[in-house]
Amino acid sequence: MGMDIMKMVEVVGIALGVIGLILTIVICALPTWTVKTIIAGNVATTEVVMYGLWMSCVTQGTGKTQCEVYNYMDNWEYVLQPARAMIPTAIILGVLGVMFSMVGAKSTNCIKDKTSQAKLIIIAGILFILDGILIIIPVSLVARSIISDSSTQIEGKFELGASLYIGWVAAALLLIGGVTLCITVGVFGWMMGIFGWILSLVASALSVSIPFMHYPEPHYRHIWMVLMTTSISSILGALGVMGSIFGTRCCNCIKSNRIRVKARFIVGIFFILAGILQFTTVFLVDHYLRMDVHLQLSPFALFTQHKLVILAEVCRWSASMLLIGGTILCCCIFKRNQPDSTTTTSTSR
């Protein structure tokens, strides 16, 4: 019964990935990313201009629509440039994710080896998650540019197009589908830990680069404390990542189920400690921004504060992922004891 439920959950994850891929192809083709209504003296001369990734369309008040490929670069084409690179890449990753998930699914029986099936499902889940990230970034950037454009020109103002809303839905479906596939294989905990560890590396790089931006004397005088916490957190996260690779069920490095559970528990402890250190960094930066008078009197205060806020935000995301991943891995010790795969059961006399 439990196996049937896992198959159903796996099918749901694959279905969400397929629907997200279809919606991604739709937003790549439709010229409805931004919409601009030009109101003239009468209804017949009113025009609705729609911009897409590859073409623009003009719908007149009479109902006639004309579309043409971009033959010159205007301001909105520069805004859409990141989407032109990320959306096709997302489509390629989505197609690969669907292929891997179809081949590795338990319901298709294309591959009999369970270890190979688990590895393909993990790859498909990672591809779906990356796909969702590649979609949500350009869609959010374009929406932010439209919302921040407060110009009230006579010709009209840009508005959010239907493709942006479809893009958010596609990204959400792909992210949920990727996470669902990872949950079915039992690697969601260490995946969250790995993503949190990657963000901790970014936080360490930021904490190292901040003093060099204000040479010879950094305005953040206690930057060494942040550097120490982020560095130790990155080291603990690296130990957790190395241990999680050997403790997963899809890896045959450890044969004994009991030793594997202990390894996952230790990895979870490493991730939790790394997450606590990342939250400590957030508290240190917040305390400094509130209490340090030297920062407020400095002519470079605004710039330094901006960098520290970015550092705190990265540390906050890293801590959340590390704590979630570590908690999930530690909870495996409360599961019902499974028979050790390295021992053979004795026959009944």
Side-chain angles (χ1 to χ4, degrees):
M1 182 64 180
M3 201 64 179
D4 294 337
I5 295 177
M6 295 305 294
K7 286 184 179 180
M8 293 176 59
V9 174
E10 188 180 72
V11 171
V12 171
I14 296 174
L16 292 176
V18 172
I19 297 174
L21 174 62
I22 295 174
L23 294 179
T24 306
I25 298 174
V26 170
I27 65 174
C28 183
L30 290 181
T32 55
W33 281 66
T34 62
V35 179
K36 182 179 181 181
T37 303
I38 302 176
I39 302 176
N42 50 52
V43 179
T45 57
T46 300
E47 295 181 348
V48 177
V49 183
M50 298 176 292
Y51 293 87
L53 296 182
W54 318 108
M55 65 178 63
S56 62
C57 296
V58 178
T59 302
Q60 299 178 354
T62 57
K64 184 179 180 181
T65 302
Q66 295 180 347
C67 297
E68 61 178 6
V69 181
Y70 291 126
N71 53 9
Y72 65 93
M73 297 293 291
D74 59 6
N75 294 331
W76 277 107
E77 282 199 75
Y78 287 107
V79 175
L80 295 174
Q81 283 292 2
R84 289 182 175 181
M86 292 184 180
I87 298 300
T89 305
I91 293 176
I92 296 173
L93 293 180
V95 172
L96 293 176
V98 171
M99 292 174 58
F100 283 123
S101 62
M102 292 293 186
V103 175
K106 298 181 181 67
S107 56
T108 57
N109 292 328
C110 296
I111 299 177
K112 301 297 183 181
D113 187 16
K114 294 183 179 180
T115 302
S116 300
Q117 287 181 343
K119 290 179 180 179
L120 289 177
I121 291 297
I122 292 173
I123 295 174
I126 294 175
L127 289 175
F128 284 158
I129 292 174
L130 293 177
D131 197 2
I133 294 174
L134 285 176
I135 295 172
I136 199 171
I137 289 176
V139 170
S140 301
L141 288 177
V142 173
R144 181 178 180 276
S145 301
I146 295 173
I147 295 174
S148 61
D149 185 14
S150 58
S151 61
T152 55
Q153 301 176 0
I154 300 177
E155 295 181 352
K157 184 180 180 180
F158 286 100
E159 299 177 355
L160 301 178
S163 294
L164 299 181
Y165 298 101
I166 298 175
W168 280 317
V169 174
L173 293 177
L174 287 165
L175 290 173
I176 296 173
V179 171
T180 303
L181 292 179
C182 294
I183 290 176
T184 58
V185 187
V187 296
F188 179 69
W190 72 265
M191 280 192 60
M192 292 295 292
I194 289 178
F195 289 148
W197 173 66
I198 294 174
L199 288 179
S200 69
L201 294 178
V202 176
S204 299
L206 289 174
S207 61
V208 170
S209 62
I210 287 177
F212 294 98
M213 296 177 182
H214 307 282
Y215 183 82
E217 180 184 359
H219 296 281
Y220 187 10
R221 298 189 299 273
H222 303 289
I223 190 66
W224 65 271
M225 297 178 62
V226 173
L227 179 59
M228 181 180 64
T229 54
T230 53
S231 300
I232 297 176
S233 175
S234 300
I235 295 173
L236 292 175
L239 294 175
V241 169
M242 290 188 294
S244 62
I245 295 175
F246 297 101
T248 54
R249 287 181 295 180
C250 59
C251 181
N252 292 325
C253 298
I254 300 177
K255 301 295 184 180
S256 175
N257 289 327
R258 294 179 181 177
I259 299 177
R260 188 181 296 137
V261 170
K262 293 179 181 179
R264 289 166 67 88
F265 180 77
I266 295 174
V267 168
I269 295 297
F270 279 131
F271 283 155
I272 290 175
L273 292 177
I276 292 174
L277 287 175
Q278 290 293 325
F279 264 129
T280 304
T281 304
V282 176
F283 294 146
L284 288 174
V285 174
D286 181 70
H287 176 75
Y288 178 75
L289 293 176
R290 292 176 181 271
M291 304 300 296
D292 200 316
V293 181
H294 183 272
L295 178 63
Q296 301 175 2
L297 298 178
S298 171
F300 300 98
L302 182 60
F303 180 78
T304 307
Q305 181 177 351
H306 177 68
K307 294 296 181 181
L308 291 176
V309 169
I310 295 177
L311 174 62
E313 190 66 25
V314 173
C315 291
R316 187 177 294 110
W317 279 96
S318 175
S320 302
M321 293 182 179
L322 287 168
L323 290 175
I324 293 173
T327 303
I328 294 174
L329 291 174
C330 288
C331 289
C332 69
I333 201 172
F334 299 106
K335 294 182 179 179
R336 184 177 299 177
N337 293 330
Q338 299 177 353
D340 199 335
S341 60
T342 59
T343 59
T344 57
T345 58
S346 59
T347 58
S348 59
R349 297 181 180 179

